[in-house]
Amino acid sequence: MSNVVPFLRRTPAPRASVSDVVAVADDLFALLEHLQATSARAAAMGRPAREVERTVQNLLDAVTAVERALDCIGEGDEAGQA
């Protein structure tokens, strides 16, 4: 029994086509709109203020993450160099 692992060359990942990038960006924009609408509904909940505050803050954090993802898509390779 040998513990030697043979070296295998990885096949390069296929480059994303423009239509793939546009589809992902479109999905992210839809998600962004949904999160913003959900944040507005969460702010109007009849729950304790502390609970509403935490819920809305978490949703706003998710909005920020989606906006960053959209920035990365828009900037392409430059986003990883920042």
Side-chain angles (χ1 to χ4, degrees):
M1 189 75 34
S2 173
N3 62 355
V4 176
V5 179
F7 177 74
L8 300 175
R9 290 183 187 242
R10 290 187 183 191
T11 56
R15 291 191 53 91
S17 70
V18 172
S19 62
D20 291 340
V21 173
V22 170
V24 170
D26 187 49
D27 289 345
L28 287 172
F29 276 117
L31 180 59
L32 184 62
E33 289 175 4
H34 185 71
L35 284 169
Q36 290 170 335
T38 302
S39 297
R41 286 195 312 272
M45 289 189 310
R47 307 287 298 176
R50 181 89 169 144
E51 182 180 322
V52 171
E53 200 175 287
R54 289 163 122 180
T55 301
V56 170
Q57 184 59 55
N58 286 326
L59 287 166
L60 291 176
D61 291 345
V63 166
T64 301
V66 171
E67 287 173 342
R68 286 183 186 153
L70 283 165
D71 287 345
C72 287
I73 288 175
E75 295 172 2
D77 291 336
E78 295 174 13
Q81 298 173 4

